[in-house]
Amino acid sequence: MVASLANDFGQLRGDVRNYLDCERRLLIGGEWVPASSGATFPVIDPSSGKEIARVAEAGAADVDAAVAAARKAFEDPAWRGMAPEARERLLWRLADLVEQNADELGQIETVDNGMLGFVARNLNVMGAAGAIRSIGGWSSKIFGKTADIVAPFPGAECFGYTVKEPVGVVGAIIPWNVPLMLASWKLAPALAAGCTVVLKPAEQTPLSALRLGELAVEAGFPPGVINIVTGYGETAGAALVEHPAVDKISFTGSTVTGKLINRAATETVKRVTLELGGKSPTIVFDDADIETAIGGAADSIFFNAGQVCVAGSRLYVQRRRFDEVVSGVADHANRLRLGAGLDPESQLGPLVSHDQQQRVSGYIRVGTEEGAEVIAGGKPVDADGYYVPPTVLVNTKPTSTVVQEEIFGPVLVAMPFDDIDEVVAQANSTIYGLAATVWSNNLSTVHRIVRRLRCGKVSVNTGGFPHATLPEGGFKQSGFGRDLGYESVLGYLENKSVLIRLQ
Ligand code: ADP
Ligand code: MG
C-alpha cells in the first residue's frame, strides 16, 4: 500500500474549505479584527509546501489592544463576579463544542500542522476537550486555609486565613507541535482560576486556536476574557512578554526561546511557567516484555514524527537484549508508511516546516559525522512536503550532539547498558528532565529507577500519553511549573493571607 505524500484538498469538509478561504482575523475584546497595520502572513500545508490560508499578523499595537481588553475583562464584574460554578459550566460548554466540532478541528489541524488525521482528531482535539472539561472542574474547588493565631502581644486573639486569587492577565505562548491541545492546556487552568488570557499560537500553526476562539465566543465567555493574537514570536510574542499589564507568561516551546522569555519577563517581575525541551530516555531492562517494549519504544519517538516534547529520543537497552530490541525498532521504522495526514493509509506525516526539516536533517548529518551508524532511515525523501524518514542511529558516544541535544524529529539514538547505576547516570546526563519511560517486569527495579530519574514524569510499561489529571512539566532545563492537573491551576493563582484581630 502506498500513501499520497501531498494532501488531497478534495477530501476536505466544506466547512474547513470555507474556513481556509476566508482571511482569519484576531480576536480582541470579543470582536474579530484585522491587524492594525493590515498585515497578514501565510499558512503553509507541510505536506506540499503550498500556501493554504492567510491570517492577520499582529504587531505590538494589536497585542497592546488585546492586553487592554483582557485587563478590562479581568476587572469587569461579568467575569470577576461570576460564580465559580458558572465559570465551570462555561468551560464544560467549550469542551462540548470542541468535541462536537472534532472532525472539522481535526482537518484544520492536519492541513496546518501536517499531523495524521487520527492524531489530529483523537489526540489533539479530543485531548483538548478532555483537558478543558477536567480542568474546568477545578473552578469550583479552589480553597484557601485557616489558622488560629495567638498574637505575639498580650490579650489579642486573632484569626488568619488564606484566599486564592487569580493572578490577572495571562499571556499564553504556545508552539506548533500539538497546537489545539496545548492551547487548551494553557487556557483551561487560567480560566478555571478566574484569569483572562491573551493567547498567541505559533506562527506555523495559527488556525486551530482561531477556531477555538470562535467556539469560546459561542460558548458565551464574556468579551475580552479570551483574546487570540496570531503573529511572529519576535514581534507579537515579545510584545506580550514585555507588556507591563500582563501578570503572567505561560510558555511552551524550545529551551532557547524559554530562556529568552524568562529573562525578558524578569523586567516586570511576571510570574512565569515554562514547559521546554526534552531528551527523554526509553529504558528497556532485559526482563521486560520485549515485543511490547519494541513497539512502545518505536511509537515513543515516531509518534507525530517525533514532534512531541516528551518523545523518547534516547533508547537504552540492557546489553543482552540490545541487538534484538534495536533491530526490532529499526524494522518498525522501515515499515512505517510516510504520507500526508488526510490520507488514512499514512503512518508518519511530514514535519511542520521547511526549517524543521532542515534542522532535523542537519542533526542526522552531524550524528554520522560524529561516528554514528544509520540503521534505518537517514536519507532524504523525494517530495515537496517536509518529510524526514524515521531514523535510528547506533554507535553514538554519550557526549555526541545527537545524544545530548533535542532534535524534535523522528530520530532515535540507541545505546546498550549493563546495570541500573550506569543507565541512571546516562539517563540523567543531559540538561533536560522532562520525561522517561521504563520497561521492566521487576517491581523492585521499577520502583528503584523511578526514584532516581530526574524528570517530571515517568511512564512504566506503557508509552507516556498525557492525561488531564496528571501534571506535565520539567525538572532542570526542561522548565518549571506544570500543565494539567490541579498543579496547573495553582500556577494561575496568587495567595493572599488575611490576619484579623477579634476585639
Ligand atoms: P521554534 O524553535 O519552532 O522557533 P519556539 O520555541 O521559538 O519554537 O516557539 C514557540 C512559541 O514561542 C511560538 O509561538 C513563537 O512564536 C514564540 N516565540 C518565539 N520567539 C519568541 C520571543 N522572542 N518572545 C516571545 N515569544 C516567542
Ligand atoms: Mg502551518
Side-chain angles (χ1 to χ4, degrees):
M1 235 168 314
V2 204
S4 45
L5 288 171
N7 278 319
D8 168 10
F9 274 54
Q11 291 177 343
L12 279 189
R13 296 160 53 95
D15 48 12
V16 174
R17 211 159 327 139
N18 292 341
Y19 189 77
L20 300 178
D21 283 347
C22 179
E23 202 169 280
R24 309 311 325 167
R25 296 180 160 193
L26 314 171
L27 178 59
I28 298 180
E31 305 288 330
W32 292 98
V33 296
S36 55
S37 66
T40 61
F41 65 98
V43 179
I44 307 296
D45 172 6
S47 76
S48 65
K50 291 207 177 88
E51 176 175 327
I52 55 165
R54 289 199 79 84
V55 169
E57 183 194 334
D62 305 297
V63 169
D64 191 46
V67 172
R71 194 83 244 161
K72 186 155 167 280
F74 183 68
E75 312 294 348
D76 194 320
W79 182 245
R80 261 328 265 287
M82 185 182 280
E85 293 77 8
R87 232 164 47 222
E88 179 173 76
R89 265 200 302 276
L90 272 178
L91 281 157
W92 287 345
R93 206 172 298 151
L94 179 59
D96 288 345
L97 286 170
V98 168
E99 217 166 79
Q100 285 158 22
N101 292 279
D103 292 339
E104 181 199 351
L105 281 162
Q107 281 203 343
I108 289 173
E109 204 77 285
T110 288
V111 294
D112 190 358
N113 163 283
M115 67 172 67
L116 300 181
F118 81 90
V119 175
R121 189 191 185 285
N122 298 344
L123 174 93
N124 180 51
V125 178
M126 296 307 274
I132 295 168
R133 190 171 291 126
S134 174
I135 295 168
W138 286 111
S139 307
S140 61
K141 298 159 197 80
I142 295 168
F143 306 109
K145 293 180 174 142
T146 62
D148 293 321
I149 294 168
V150 177
F153 43 85
E157 188 190 350
C158 293
F159 176 63
Y161 65 93
T162 64
V163 274
K164 299 280 185 203
E165 295 185 0
V167 76
V169 173
V170 173
I173 301 177
I174 56 168
W176 41 257
N177 59 330
V178 199
L180 191 77
M181 191 181 81
L182 294 182
S184 78
W185 289 15
K186 302 299 187 197
L187 279 177
L191 298 169
C195 295
T196 58
V197 182
V198 177
L199 171 69
K200 196 204 81 64
E203 50 269 44
Q204 296 86 349
T205 56
L207 294 177
S208 61
L210 293 172
R211 182 70 186 111
L212 183 67
E214 292 183 349
L215 297 176
V217 171
E218 192 179 331
F221 281 92
V225 169
I226 300 171
N227 306 275
I228 302 176
V229 290
T230 46
Y232 292 95
E234 296 72 18
T235 50
L240 195 53
V241 175
E242 284 159 19
H243 203 295
V246 173
D247 299 287
K248 164 160 182 146
I249 292 291
S250 188
F251 171 78
T252 298
S254 63
T255 293
V256 171
T257 302
K259 287 179 185 177
L260 212 76
I261 285 178
N262 200 28
R263 269 199 295 274
T266 298
E267 212 45 54
T268 42
V269 197
K270 286 184 177 56
R271 287 87 185 101
V272 176
T273 290
L274 300 175
E275 215 266 62
L276 308 177
K279 190 74 183 175
S280 300
T282 296
I283 300 166
V284 183
F285 286 93
D286 57 15
D287 64 80
D289 179 346
I290 291 295
E291 275 313 306
T292 323
I294 289 171
D299 287 344
S300 182
I301 184 62
F302 301 135
F303 182 80
N304 210 30
Q307 302 170 117
V308 176
C309 45
V310 297
S313 50
R314 292 181 288 153
L315 174 61
Y316 294 98
V317 186
Q318 209 158 9
R319 198 173 298 277
R320 196 161 62 80
R321 313 299 289 269
F322 181 77
D323 290 341
E324 180 186 355
V325 171
V326 171
S327 63
V329 173
D331 286 348
H332 189 113
N334 289 328
R335 279 197 308 270
L336 284 174
R337 270 194 304 277
L338 267 64
L342 289 180
D343 187 334
E345 299 299 331
S346 302
Q347 295 175 323
L348 193 99
L351 301 194
V352 73
S353 65
H354 179 70
D355 281 0
Q356 268 321 99
Q357 185 192 35
Q358 293 305 304
R359 217 176 137 254
V360 173
S361 310
Y363 269 115
I364 297 173
R365 206 162 42 243
V366 167
T368 51
E369 281 163 13
E370 289 183 354
E373 184 193 340
V374 179
I375 58 164
K379 295 190 187 65
V381 178
D382 183 20
D384 293 332
Y386 309 131
Y387 291 92
V388 171
T391 298
V392 180
L393 303 174
V394 293
N395 291 336
T396 53
K397 290 185 227 25
T399 53
S400 299
T401 308
V402 286
V403 176
Q404 288 296 319
E405 294 186 14
E406 182 179 50
I407 297 175
F408 222 66
V411 182
L412 180 69
V413 292
M415 292 148 287
F417 71 91
D418 288 305
D419 59 31
I420 189 166
D421 289 336
E422 183 191 355
V423 77
V424 164
Q426 288 303 321
N428 290 337
S429 73
T430 74
I431 61 167
Y432 297 111
L434 202 51
T437 304
V438 175
W439 297 88
S440 169
N441 286 318
N442 184 317
L443 196 62
S444 302
T445 302
V446 167
H447 281 291
R448 283 209 177 92
I449 194 163
V450 164
R451 289 187 203 175
R452 294 176 67 184
L453 292 169
R454 300 250 298 134
C455 60
K457 183 175 178 185
V458 184
S459 306
V460 179
N461 293 333
T462 173
F465 59 87
H467 191 271
T469 55
L470 276 183
E472 297 264 338
F475 285 22
K476 297 159 62 183
Q477 293 192 34
S478 289
F480 46 79
R482 292 292 179 267
D483 287 329
L484 300 180
Y486 185 53
E487 280 77 358
S488 70
V489 182
L490 287 175
Y492 298 93
L493 292 167
E494 293 280 15
N495 184 81
K496 182 178 281 175
S497 295
V498 183
L499 176 66
I500 298 177
R501 179 173 173 181
L502 308 181
Q503 287 172 314

